Amino acid sequence: MAEFAVVGSSAPRLDGLEKATGRAVYVDDMTRPGLLHGAVLRSAYAHARIVAIDTAAALALPGVHCVLTGEDFPHRYGAFVQDEVALARDRVRYVGEPVAVLAAETPALARQAAALIAVDYEELPAVMTPEEALAPDAPLVHADFAGYARRVAVPLPPNVCAATTISEGDVDAAFAGCDVVVEGTYRTQAQVHCYLEPCGALAEADAAGKVTIWSSCQSVFRVQATVAEILGLPMARIRAVAAKVGGAFGGKSDVTVQPLAAALALRTRRPVRLVLTRDDDFMMMRTRHPATVWMKTGAMADGRLVARAARLTLDGGAYAEDSSAVLGFALLIARGPYRIEHVRMEGRVAYTNRLRAAGFRGYGNPQVTFAGECQIDEIAARLGRDPLDLRLQNAVRAGDDWVGGQRIEACGLVDCLERLRAALPPAAPGRGIGVACVAHISGILSTSAIVRVLEDGTVTLSTGAVDLGEGADTVLAQICAETLGLPLDRINYAVPDTDGSPYNWSTGGSRVTYMVGRAVTAAAGQARDRLFGHAAEMLECAAGDLELRPGGRVGIAGVPGPEITFRDISARAHWAVGGPIIGSASVMFEGGGFDPKRSAVTGNGIGKLGAFVFGAQAAEVEVDAVTGRIAVSRLWAAHDVGRAINPTAVAGQIAGGVAQGLGYALYEDLRFDGPNPANPTLMDYKVPGATEMPEIIPIIVEHPEPSGPFGAKGIGEPPLVPVAPAIANAVAALHGVRLRTLPLTPERVLAALDEA
Amino acid sequence: MTAVAYHRPACLDDALALLAADEDARPLAGGQTLVPMLNLDLLAPTAIVSLADLADLRGIAALADGSIRIGAMETHARIAASRIFAAGQALVPRAAGHIASPAIRNFGTIGGACAHGDPVSDWPVALVAADARIEIAGPAGRRGVAAADFFLGFLTTALEPGEIVTAIVVPPVPGRAIHLRYSRIDSDYATVIVAGAADIRDGICRSVRLAVGACGPVPVRLAAVEDLLTGRPLEPALVAAAGRMLAEAIDPLDDVRGSAAYRRRILPGLVARALAGVA
Ligand SMILES: Cc1cc2nc3c(=O)[nH]c(=O)nc-3n(C[C@H](O)[C@H](O)[C@H](O)COP(=O)(O)OP(=O)(O)OC[C@H]3O[C@@H](n4cnc5c(N)ncnc54)[C@H](O)[C@@H]3O)c2cc1C
């Protein structure tokens, strides 16, 4: 693509060399003079009253500096429901919940001391599933729920932390007129984020009481804001800095151990590092929301989809966190990327005494898309139609409206399906092929960027976007380089640091390339305009006559001769005229709710979140008749990214998403044995390994998004979403059995084959 | 956490003396089980006695009678790569090659795995199937124990305090090797293992040995099954009957790798597949 110099090229990762040579610095590699080490004591009960905590024995150990308990953290927090506390106070609500934290001279001493903290519990009855939680007279996970501040204060039944409905058209009448209606209940499990790097933070307070927190996080600004809220400090007293992040997938979008490390540092006046063991991380942190999805879809004999209804129950675990938004997004997306006029989506999130459910790559989408895409195949089977064809017939196109009324500006879905069809092999005996689509969004909230032209004409790009390993730093630097006509190596990408970086909401919602990219384009464009302002004076011409020339030079368009360099311009700006050249921009995806003329919404309906992104995948599977084990041999993944700023990075996101989607489809499942996680170790909880991976064939489709940087939009989450339904559909195509529970374990497959 | 002594004796007698002197001392082989257990605070030994320098515990060599002696400190990876095993004995290197992932295979040893005696691991069933003998040295001298008498239950073996495994001896095994390992993902512990060897010519089974692993506290090997199959044409009904007998004999748990019912359900099919593979 000669259109651009840097955009569209697979530039190597900015941090590739340091990572490949093992020199990248993660929190656990960081140290400070006088460093202390933290350890956390976990709850052994799913639900209990804390009668007393005796820390004397732990504090008596030489080398133990401080022990904190729930009493030291009086402030409640939570984005939608203020039900969270940094350490359990009065009650514990899940096995593994942090109860006390301490700082000691060595990690081993810290662990030893934690074991000496004596907690006197009075056990309470627990609810381990939504069914138990929603049963009449169930014990309450939050007895004080009525007293909590809430963002959306609609009345809710006991043990429910969010409930929402969205409806459009007249679903009941539409179903009555359908020629084919399919209906079923689909169940999905608790997937663990399983980032390579467990959660960790290093905090240090200065003499004035300002705390600096280096951590593995998705947003330094969320860390700053939430730690300030938890510790009751002004944000100006908290500085959050990103370390290298070894994966996050949504599990580090809210605070993890940062408030604990910060409190220990403030109390001890020593730097404190708290990095969870894998064991602690499994027990304390988060999972994807397990879901039960009842769904019904109706079509006409000619294949037109006309109605869909869904009822969703999510298991939110012990604290609400983002559950309300996950539910809202799941309901928004549950229609699927089809022109279905009549929809009614209802859902609720139950509190249970399990570790909290959280945002996780897909954010409620994998659960509903599993149900929805299975049903498209079920309808195709009933109508005797090719499933890919049926999808093409109903696929949304640019110019269509989504549920809620937002216009779809650009849409490569039809193209994805056509490209998939062209790539698929002819049917082969013993092999089944299944297709599934995904619609997702890329956007959400606000961000900003600052581009500073240094004295020598090279550039420092500052954003608040933390690279979680996906390569966003490189992509943003490419966008900046392209806008200024510079080679990539002239761009310095600054580490996100709340003291110096401009605000960014978070690395999440498949938004960095699209949202932060827009801010970078605008900021770099402003810097370019200011460079042109100087150049116009220096070359004695109108700014409008100027053009950028490769390598940081400015000349007069159409006149080959005179030109000046960024270095000359910037030196002038720094030393003679005008002052340093800085471009900055702030952007917001100005979403908002639903068009009231079209949608009826109760609860926390969220609409207009970002630009829509689309994709379609096909899985080729074989099923072992003896064991029921599914092997996926090939997986074609066609995704519309608007424009691939860095095609290798896009292919990497596709491969990573497919791998995690394969884990979700076939293997991963945090199970419970009564109140306890049954497999909270990497020994027992299995993510797929290299040998399980199918051949992945990425198909990059580019339908430029008008508002995106160079037309680009996101790819972070979508590739995970369709994997499970594509596999389930492939098994159905092969054996005629419909599997409705994830993961598709050999045991479930075999049981279905035995029944068929 | 108290200090742990670390010893690296140069010869077997020194190692045995160190272990005899302190009943809370632990031998260290590849560390692939011991170190995770220390990390999880499941063990708190007073001393670690590394077996790394004991020449007696090294080497994979053929003996005069066709047996293969495998030193206890040989790693899974080295056993898997060895070409010394005859056709029937090859179930041993095949078992080794399927354990966990390359990193674990490069450190973990056959002696450590035997001493640990984990019934879901790969060695007990393979060694019972191969009629291997476990060689042991201890304060009371040396002895050998048949694999079938060595693995006694969950993390329980015939090893007495102060004893160490020095070698595993695999006798000649007629026929062709069988090793069928079924797991959730490749690098996971097995859900079911079928190990053995069979000499099948013109559809007639001349000899067979079959053991089932990861399905109960000890590997299951039934003389009745082997008698049933021996000397007969391997008709599907006969094979199915053998599979059913084994499925009834195993005593699996319900766990994250599969329910007990599932293991019983798939075992006959796996047995048939294993035998078909060497027919
Ligand atoms: C992630 C992971 C996955 C694994 N997956 C599998 C698998 O799929 N299948 C499988 O079979 N195994 C598996 N293992 C276990 C692995 O095979 C170990 O290597 C083996 O269990 C122990 O061998 P080791 O040499 O590491 O022993 P060590 O860990 O050093 O020792 C194990 C125990 O035996 C004792 N010991 C060691 N050597 C001797 C000796 N010669 N005499 C007496 N006592 C001794 C030690 O004191 C200790 O108690 C896995 C391990 C890990 C960490």
Side-chain angles (χ1 to χ4, degrees):
Chain A
M1 196 172 302
E3 208 179 332
F4 301 114
V6 188
V7 157
S9 76
S10 288
R13 291 284 174 93
L14 300 181
D15 59 4
L17 192 66
E18 65 177 318
K19 282 186 173 165
T21 55
R23 287 164 69 182
V25 175
Y26 297 84
V27 175
D28 199 45
D29 302 315
M30 297 175 66
T31 188
R32 301 288 297 165
L35 186 69
L36 297 178
H37 301 267
V40 187
L41 176 71
R42 313 188 303 228
S43 165
Y45 293 93
H47 198 191
R49 200 168 73 78
I50 299 176
V51 180
I53 303 183
D54 184 354
T55 60
L59 275 169
L61 271 190
V64 173
H65 287 250
C66 155
V67 182
L68 302 178
T69 66
E71 302 303 321
D72 297 296
F73 294 89
H75 303 285
R76 286 194 180 280
Y77 66 102
F80 293 91
V81 181
Q82 295 219 326
D83 61 356
E84 289 198 76
V85 280
L87 286 177
R89 207 167 61 224
D90 306 326
R91 286 208 182 191
V92 289
R93 295 188 172 85
Y94 66 95
V95 170
E97 180 167 6
V99 171
V101 66
L102 58 87
E105 294 286 342
T106 68
L109 187 63
R111 277 169 63 187
Q112 192 192 346
L116 294 178
I117 299 171
V119 186
D120 187 5
Y121 293 104
E122 179 190 308
E123 198 175 354
L124 299 169
V127 287
M128 297 310 298
T129 61
E131 295 79 77
E132 288 174 24
L134 301 175
D137 301 323
L140 293 177
V141 178
H142 288 272
D144 304 335
F145 187 77
Y148 295 161
R150 285 194 279 150
R151 197 145 101 199
V152 185
V154 295
L156 294 170
N159 281 335
V160 171
C161 68
T164 297
T165 62
I166 304 171
S167 64
E168 294 188 355
D170 186 343
V171 173
D172 298 321
F175 276 128
C178 283
D179 297 315
V180 182
V181 174
V182 297
E183 183 179 340
T185 299
Y186 303 78
R187 292 189 169 80
T188 69
Q189 78 282 27
Q191 184 180 25
V192 181
H193 297 82
C194 281
Y195 26 68
L196 267 180
E197 182 207 17
C199 295
L202 192 162
E204 181 171 31
D206 69 12
K210 175 176 167 184
V211 201
T212 299
I213 307 162
W214 294 265
S215 72
S216 183
C217 66
Q218 290 178 232
S219 166
V220 288
F221 292 93
R222 299 299 349 124
V223 170
Q224 182 188 38
T226 313
V227 171
E229 188 181 356
I230 291 171
L231 300 184
L233 291 174
M235 283 168 70
R237 291 254 302 278
I238 311 255
R239 173 183 172 214
V241 187
K244 281 273 179 285
V245 180
F249 310 115
K252 297 173 183 171
S253 65
D254 286 284
V255 294
T256 59
V257 294
Q258 296 94 344
L260 303 179
L264 289 170
L266 277 167
R267 195 64 73 91
T268 59
R269 295 284 157 169
R270 294 265 297 262
V272 178
R273 190 174 72 203
L274 175 56
V275 177
L276 295 184
T277 60
R278 177 67 60 185
D279 201 34
D280 281 342
D281 199 290
F282 256 106
M283 298 295 286
M284 290 176 195
M285 288 300 154
R286 301 165 164 100
T287 71
R288 190 188 291 290
H289 288 79
T292 303
V293 186
W294 168 86
M295 193 179 266
K296 184 172 165 183
T297 306
M300 306 310 291
D302 65 1
R304 242 174 340 115
L305 300 171
V306 292
R308 173 169 280 182
R311 240 187 342 262
L312 180 61
T313 301
L314 298 180
D315 182 346
Y319 295 97
E321 206 166 77
D322 268 7
S323 283
S324 174
V326 171
L327 174 66
F329 183 60
L331 298 179
L332 177 73
I333 219 78
R335 182 194 69 175
Y338 307 108
R339 295 168 156 170
I340 302 180
E341 213 182 309
H342 305 277
V343 296
R344 186 176 60 230
M345 309 301 179
E346 307 161 85
R348 60 198 168 159
V349 186
Y351 278 126
T352 60
N353 291 110
R354 308 181 12 151
L355 61 174
R356 74 204 76 189
F360 188 160
R361 204 176 196 171
Y363 213 78
N365 191 343
Q367 294 91 325
V368 293
T369 293
F370 175 59
E373 286 300 290
C374 284
Q375 291 211 328
I376 300 296
D377 267 46
E378 291 173 55
I379 288 189
R382 291 271 297 278
L383 291 172
R385 289 280 302 274
D386 172 66
L388 198 151
D389 245 24
L390 186 68
R391 286 179 169 84
L392 270 175
Q393 180 188 347
N394 290 283
V396 292
R397 272 101 168 142
D400 287 355
D401 289 342
W402 198 263
V403 173
Q406 187 187 342
R407 176 72 29 94
I408 299 166
E409 303 293 346
C411 179
L413 180 60
V414 166
D415 221 11
C416 287
L417 284 163
E418 302 277 17
R419 299 269 304 269
L420 207 54
R421 175 144 68 187
L424 292 181
R431 295 184 169 208
I433 290 183
V435 172
C437 292
V438 55
H440 202 76
I441 54 93
S442 168
I444 311 176
L445 299 173
S446 69
T447 192
S448 49
I450 298 174
V451 169
R452 289 182 289 142
V453 183
L454 307 179
E455 281 172 71
D456 66 352
T458 61
V459 164
T460 287
L461 168 63
S462 303
T463 79
V466 182
D467 190 328
L468 312 178
E470 77 284 7
D473 287 2
T474 310
V475 164
L476 295 175
Q478 282 180 269
I479 290 172
C480 183
E482 185 70 50
T483 308
L484 290 170
L486 287 172
L488 194 54
D489 65 5
R490 307 282 175 85
I491 311 291
N492 163 46
Y493 188 86
V495 173
D497 176 341
T498 55
D499 264 9
S501 305
Y503 179 82
N504 176 51
W505 170 62
S506 186
T507 300
S510 303
R511 70 192 288 274
V512 172
T513 298
Y514 173 68
M515 289 299 292
V516 189
R518 283 168 63 187
V520 171
T521 315
Q526 197 180 71
R528 181 193 54 214
D529 291 346
R530 291 183 178 160
L531 286 160
F532 279 8
H534 282 271
E537 289 172 24
M538 294 162 81
L539 292 170
E540 298 181 343
C541 66
D545 292 339
L546 293 169
E547 65 175 7
L548 283 176
R549 293 189 184 157
R553 292 169 308 143
V554 181
I556 301 168
V559 182
E563 57 183 33
I564 47 171
T565 63
F566 282 15
R567 177 193 286 271
D568 296 337
I569 300 171
S570 193
R572 180 177 189 259
H574 276 83
W575 299 106
V577 182
I581 294 169
I582 298 175
S584 69
S586 295
V587 296
M588 165 70 100
F589 196 95
E590 286 174 11
F594 292 73
D595 175 354
K597 288 198 283 297
R598 104 176 238 152
S599 332
V601 178
T602 65
N604 184 23
I606 46 176
K608 299 191 183 139
L609 293 165
F612 288 97
V613 290
F614 301 96
Q617 297 183 353
E620 178 189 56
V621 307
E622 291 166 87
V623 178
D624 181 344
V626 169
T627 62
R629 185 178 154 151
I630 296 170
V632 182
S633 44
R634 283 182 285 186
L635 197 140
W636 295 263
H639 290 272
D640 176 14
V641 297
R643 160 124 30 230
I645 304 283
N646 185 321
T648 297
V650 170
Q653 284 300 293
I654 290 176
V658 167
Q660 214 160 24
L662 191 78
Y664 187 53
L666 299 182
Y667 312 111
E668 297 183 46
D669 186 2
L670 185 71
R671 286 163 43 178
F672 277 75
D673 190 356
N676 297 302
N679 51 340
T681 64
L682 289 177
M683 195 78 110
D684 290 333
Y685 178 98
K686 282 296 164 191
V687 295
T691 43
E692 278 69 47
M693 292 310 295
E695 180 190 347
I696 297 168
I697 301 104
I699 300 169
I700 298 175
V701 172
E702 297 179 294
H703 281 231
E705 161 63 36
S707 60
F710 301 97
K713 52 189 177 179
I715 185 66
E717 296 166 280
L720 178 145
V721 179
V723 178
I727 294 173
N729 287 340
V731 173
L734 186 61
H735 288 298
V737 296
R738 175 54 59 187
L739 295 155
R740 294 191 174 88
T741 301
L742 293 182
L744 309 171
T745 59
E747 199 156 351
R748 290 187 175 130
V749 174
L750 202 57
L753 292 176
D754 281 349
E755 255 175 49
Chain B
M1 178 150 298
T2 44
V4 182
Y6 178 77
H7 306 284
R8 190 160 170 167
C11 69
L12 183 57
D13 287 343
D14 289 356
L16 292 172
L18 283 162
L19 291 169
D22 177 358
E23 64 181 33
D24 292 324
R26 280 274 178 165
L28 171 69
Q32 296 307 293
T33 294
L34 188 60
V35 174
M37 288 176 87
L38 294 176
N39 285 340
L40 293 172
D41 290 326
L42 294 175
L43 279 181
T46 47
I48 301 279
V49 179
S50 168
L51 308 181
D53 292 340
L54 307 188
D56 288 5
L57 274 57
R58 299 273 178 188
I60 306 175
L63 306 181
D65 67 348
S67 298
I68 308 292
R69 180 191 184 275
I70 308 168
M73 286 296 286
E74 290 297 328
T75 62
H76 312 319
R78 280 172 52 89
I79 298 166
S82 171
R83 296 276 159 271
I84 204 170
F85 297 92
Q89 291 166 326
L91 79 98
V92 169
R94 273 171 57 189
H98 284 128
I99 293 172
S101 51
I104 308 282
R105 293 199 288 273
N106 286 336
F107 279 98
T109 67
I110 189 169
C114 287
H116 186 54
D118 184 350
V120 308
S121 73
D122 290 80
W123 281 125
V125 59
L127 298 180
V128 166
D131 279 325
R133 194 173 73 246
I134 318 293
E135 309 259 277
I136 297 167
R142 296 187 172 232
R143 63 191 181 111
V145 178
D149 301 322
F150 181 84
F151 299 106
L152 301 177
F154 177 71
L155 307 190
T156 309
T157 69
L159 277 183
E160 297 290 340
E163 285 189 324
I164 66 174
V165 176
T166 55
I168 284 77
V169 177
V170 181
V173 177
R176 292 170 61 199
I178 289 171
H179 192 267
L180 207 153
R181 180 188 202 266
Y182 172 66
S183 57
R184 292 181 299 176
I185 70 167
D186 191 57
S187 64
D188 191 14
Y189 277 95
T191 305
V192 177
I193 304 168
V194 178
D199 181 1
I200 302 169
R201 273 173 277 168
D202 308 323
I204 310 283
C205 178
R206 310 290 168 104
S207 77
V208 65
R209 46 183 78 204
L210 276 180
V212 180
C215 287
V218 291
V220 171
R221 195 175 156 188
L222 297 180
V225 164
E226 294 174 13
D227 291 346
L228 178 72
L229 294 171
T230 304
R232 298 211 174 82
L234 285 187
E235 306 282 352
L238 187 72
V239 171
R244 277 197 305 275
M245 286 165 75
L246 285 166
E248 274 163 30
I250 58 174
D251 184 16
L253 292 174
D254 285 319
D255 66 17
V256 292
R257 294 184 174 78
S259 69
Y262 173 70
R263 287 174 160 104
R264 288 207 167 90
R265 163 73 179 76
I266 64 173
L267 182 57
L270 291 175
V271 167
R273 176 171 290 170
L275 288 170
V278 291

